[in-house]
Amino acid sequence: MIASRDLDRSVVGPERPAAHPLEAHRGPAARADARAGETRRAHEGAGFGHLPFCVVVLLVAAPNLLFLATHLASSVLAAGCLAAILAALVPVLRDCARTREPLDAPLLLIALAAGYALCLLGGETHLVFANDDWLIRDAVLHDLVAEPWPVGYLYRGDPTLLRAPLGLFLVPAAVGKLAGLQAAHGALLAQNGLLFGCLFYGFARIVRPRRRGLTLLALFIGFSGWDVIGTWLTEQPLGFGTHLEQWAKNLQFSSHVTQIFWVPNHAASGWIFVGAYCLWRADALRVPSLAVIFGLCVFWSPLSMIGAVPFLIGALLRDLPRGRVTVRSSAIAALAGLGLIPVALYLGSDAARVPHGLHELSDLFVIRYVLFVALELGPALIVLGLARDRIAITSRGFRSEILLVVGLLLLVPLYRLGGTDFVMRASIPALALLALRVGAAVSGTSIARAAIACTLLGVGAVTPLYELGRALREPAFAISGCDLLAAARTPPNDGPLFHYLARLDVVQASLAGRVLAMPSTMLRPEPRGPCWPDRVREGAAPLP
């Protein structure tokens, strides 16, 4: 998926392939035969290396198209928006296919196995324990399967509309409408495992050979800050399986395993953009295509895409002076933007109710912030320093990207949206890029420095190890038939539903009210028994 040669120049400096020096001692005929052999091997590979990311693009686009087809008030407007998105998708897919390389089938199988294994261990289909966030997520999927679209609720006396990033849910819910709730959960696993597997394949192709790619992928999956040290310093519980990442209270950078286990929609959105950004960085994707993919990712997680904006702007500013942004390609991006306006109106409906603003810079917050930054970013930056002999430090692209990554990760903890949502989600693209830079550097450095780097990163890997431990230690529980209103009465998710519901009177008073369809029915709070009678947590009694 991601052409490695250009990215390697900015990550680990230029490396001449081993074949090149040998060619200097060959005669013209031998060199011609060698080139013919390389061409033949490329043709034998059929140049299908771009297909995994094309699959990713189609997966991220599908729920956008389904939303536009089912959630707009005007069929004419829906048809126009669908046509705009489809017209923009065709050149994006062609752009992905410009750089042809053979498909590494064994690597793809390994990446897919990793994607599906992590999704299963994260609680999808409930074959193993599912974390707290799945209680609400399962209810959203249930309501999308059981109720007509758009879904309405009577919540605290107000008629409301389900307003949430539905990119993760709509395609599985459509399957569920045909085959039932269990099939919807199966489709969710099929979708997410394929999506993350194809992304993992692309990340592993950043460096060559395959051994280095697998090392990079392992480091990416296990990437995390030193949460175990923060938990120890703040004298919080360290029992195996504990969720370690809440040690800094309202500050948290989620490990990559945590993202898949708890918030796969946010992880998918951020990582899809990062995959596209890496293709752009390797000259395998143009900026307008990057912008289209950015727009499609918003429906999966607008918060993750807030963290992607600086990188999109940086890519645009870099390509504009080089004449790589044409009027035609810009028109394609603009076309996609017009088609996605209803999605933006939907996601922004009545969103001001969610608490937001800058953190108060109290002495306690500043101390916590400094410790948080030191433990979350310090180890990765030290690793990059250890590999400085292999990193093109003088590379303008490398320096500017790392400065942007670090600057963003220093700023996002200062703002809050809801509880810790903003810092956890807006940091996803920058953390992924940092992990890829670290993985590429470690996989190509000396054995001694790689051992030191892996020791530093290994302390952080305790966090995903604890997440895996909890998934395997805690008992699984059945999929629930509860709706969102019932699930929201179950601790620890018994807070306000402002993140998920928009008041109809507010929606109808805005432009969104003229664009979006309104619910035809309303789910109402009803007395009922426990949603998860078989869910036991931390050895306690079943949850109510």
Side-chain angles (χ1 to χ4, degrees):
M1 161 181 131
I2 297 174
S4 69
R5 57 185 182 277
D6 296 306
L7 183 56
D8 273 347
R9 291 190 184 105
S10 63
V11 175
V12 295
E15 295 181 3
R16 294 187 69 191
H20 288 183
L22 295 176
E23 285 193 1
H25 302 286
R26 296 175 180 171
R31 289 198 297 270
D33 289 343
R35 286 193 293 270
E38 290 176 2
T39 302
R40 182 173 61 255
R41 286 191 294 272
H43 283 300
E44 288 172 355
F48 292 146
H50 65 288
L51 288 184
F53 194 72
C54 289
V55 170
V56 169
V57 172
L58 293 174
L59 287 173
V60 74
N64 285 273
L65 296 170
L66 191 53
F67 173 85
L68 294 170
T70 57
H71 281 68
L72 301 192
S74 166
S75 58
V76 174
L77 178 61
C81 291
L82 288 168
I85 300 301
L86 291 171
L89 272 178
V90 172
V92 171
L93 293 172
R94 286 177 180 165
D95 200 10
C96 291
R98 278 191 305 112
T99 305
R100 297 267 180 157
E101 60 176 10
L103 181 72
D104 188 336
L107 180 61
L108 179 59
L109 290 175
I110 293 171
L112 288 171
Y116 277 104
L118 287 171
C119 288
L120 277 169
L121 289 169
E124 297 186 27
T125 69
H126 288 248
L127 291 178
V128 300
F129 178 78
N131 291 300
D132 294 341
D133 282 14
W134 282 102
L135 306 185
I136 292 291
R137 196 166 290 117
D138 285 356
V140 171
L141 183 59
H142 167 271
D143 294 350
L144 287 169
V145 169
E147 301 299 319
W149 297 353
V151 181
Y153 302 87
L154 186 65
Y155 178 66
R156 295 187 176 180
D158 291 321
T160 63
L161 165 77
L162 177 64
R163 184 260 300 122
L166 298 180
L168 183 82
F169 301 103
L170 280 190
V171 172
V175 172
K177 282 188 176 296
L178 298 174
L181 184 60
Q182 297 290 339
H185 281 268
L188 185 70
L189 173 64
Q191 167 192 272
N192 295 348
L194 180 60
L195 176 61
F196 287 117
C198 288
L199 286 171
F200 289 163
Y201 173 82
F203 294 157
R205 291 289 282 177
I206 286 176
V207 295
R208 308 292 168 85
R210 185 189 301 152
R211 173 185 55 79
R212 282 188 65 198
L214 290 173
T215 301
L216 183 151
L217 181 58
L219 292 172
F220 179 86
I221 292 173
F223 189 77
S224 178
W226 282 10
D227 299 301
V228 66
I229 302 298
T231 303
W232 174 69
L233 289 174
T234 53
E235 300 181 341
Q236 297 182 46
L238 272 170
F240 186 62
T242 303
H243 187 52
L244 297 176
E245 291 159 296
Q246 296 174 329
W247 65 270
K249 304 301 181 184
N250 50 3
L251 302 177
Q252 178 180 327
F253 289 158
S254 300
S255 74
H256 288 163
V257 168
T258 298
Q259 291 176 35
I260 293 178
F261 281 20
W262 291 74
V263 287
N265 57 313
H266 297 289
S269 177
W271 295 357
I272 291 166
F273 175 83
V274 166
Y277 178 84
C278 289
L279 283 170
W280 164 81
R281 192 170 57 186
D283 292 328
L285 199 69
R286 297 182 176 93
V287 164
S289 297
L290 180 63
V292 172
I293 293 169
F294 170 90
L296 295 172
C297 287
V298 170
F299 192 45
W300 289 66
S301 171
L303 292 182
S304 290
M305 288 303 95
I306 290 175
V309 168
F311 300 100
L312 179 61
I313 294 174
L316 179 63
L317 293 177
R318 186 173 176 183
D319 276 8
L320 274 174
R322 297 193 289 174
R324 298 184 62 189
V325 181
T326 65
V327 173
R328 181 179 178 182
S329 62
S330 299
I332 291 168
L335 190 64
L338 289 173
L340 291 171
I341 286 176
V343 175
L345 292 173
Y346 169 77
L347 292 173
S349 297
D350 199 19
R353 275 209 299 178
V354 180
H356 60 280
L358 292 171
H359 280 290
E360 181 182 352
L361 299 181
S362 64
D363 292 344
L364 179 60
F365 177 85
V366 171
I367 293 171
R368 187 183 298 147
Y369 170 84
V370 171
L371 181 61
F372 172 77
V373 168
L375 294 181
E376 296 295 321
L377 297 184
L381 297 179
I382 292 172
V383 169
L384 289 179
L386 287 171
R388 62 186 179 276
D389 60 324
R390 298 281 295 167
I391 299 174
I393 293 294
T394 58
S395 165
R396 182 179 176 184
F398 174 82
R399 287 203 318 268
S400 60
E401 183 179 295
I402 291 299
L403 286 173
L404 189 56
V405 165
V406 174
L408 185 69
L409 293 176
L410 289 176
L411 287 175
V412 292
L414 302 179
Y415 188 82
R416 63 180 178 83
L417 181 69
T420 56
D421 285 340
F422 184 80
V423 61
M424 290 190 294
R425 315 310 175 217
S427 61
I428 287 174
L431 288 172
L433 283 169
L434 181 61
L436 291 174
R437 287 292 191 181
V438 167
V442 172
S443 67
T445 194
S446 66
I447 294 177
R449 292 187 179 182
I452 297 172
C454 288
T455 300
L456 292 171
L457 297 173
V459 177
V462 172
T463 301
L465 181 64
Y466 268 47
E467 293 295 315
L468 289 167
R470 183 172 60 259
L472 296 174
R473 188 192 68 182
E474 296 294 327
F477 56 95
I479 293 169
S480 172
C482 278
D483 60 36
L484 180 59
L485 299 180
R489 296 197 296 267
T490 302
N493 298 313
D494 51 349
L497 286 173
F498 300 153
H499 292 76
Y500 288 89
L501 302 180
R503 293 166 294 183
L504 282 189
D505 57 345
V506 176
V507 176
Q508 290 168 337
S510 66
L511 177 60
R514 295 192 287 273
V515 172
L516 302 175
M518 294 296 114
S520 59
T521 60
M522 291 284 163
L523 279 169
R524 299 170 181 271
E526 294 181 357
R528 59 165 301 152
C531 288
W532 296 274
D534 58 339
R535 185 176 190 267
V536 179
R537 188 182 181 216
E538 303 293 341
L543 288 176

